[in-house]
Amino acid sequence: MAAKIEESRQHHAAMLTCTHLSQAKKWSYVKIMHCSKLSMTHVHARKDHNDPEKCILPLPADEPLTVTMLNDVMIDICSDHSNSLVIALVEADSTIVYYNIYPGIHPPDLPSRECRHDHT
């Protein structure tokens, strides 16, 4: 992997992410995992038992991301669970922003009919 993340900072981000998912969002399954190959902590979680398991990579928000790093995580951590990765960027004030990352290029979701405006 091109960039090394300080393990204690990444573990702290993982703990905050797990707490947010299990306590604030009430997800039923949240588990912290460690990938020794990448020396990274990640989270496997699902909202309830019927939902597919998500692979979540918690990171401090000021940590630089590279395409190589994301590709390594997708291959080594998420390949068995999902075709996508959720990045949880954790700010110093414990604010967490989640981003869905997919391999390749995907078109954005179209806005709902109520959001479209007719300018005629």
Side-chain angles (χ1 to χ4, degrees), residues 88-100:
L89 296 180
V90 181
E91 289 285 348
D93 68 354
S94 299
T95 301
I96 303 174
V97 179
Y98 298 94
Y99 290 96
N100 290 312

Side-chain angles (χ1 to χ4, degrees), residues 46-103:
R46 65 170 53 104
K47 190 172 186 173
D48 62 42
H49 297 292
N50 297 326
D51 287 339
E53 191 171 295
K54 295 197 181 276
C55 180
I56 303 168
L57 180 65
L59 295 171
D62 62 349
E63 194 66 46
L65 294 172
T66 66
V67 173
T68 302
M69 175 185 161
L70 293 174
N71 188 53
D72 289 346
V73 170
M74 294 283 290
I75 290 169
D76 293 324
I77 295 176
C78 297
S79 61
D80 294 340
H81 302 282
S82 172
N83 65 342
S84 67
L85 169 68
V86 177
I87 303 289
L89 296 180
V90 181
E91 289 285 348
D93 68 354
S94 299
T95 301
I96 303 174
V97 179
Y98 298 94
Y99 290 96
N100 290 312
I101 308 292
Y102 299 92

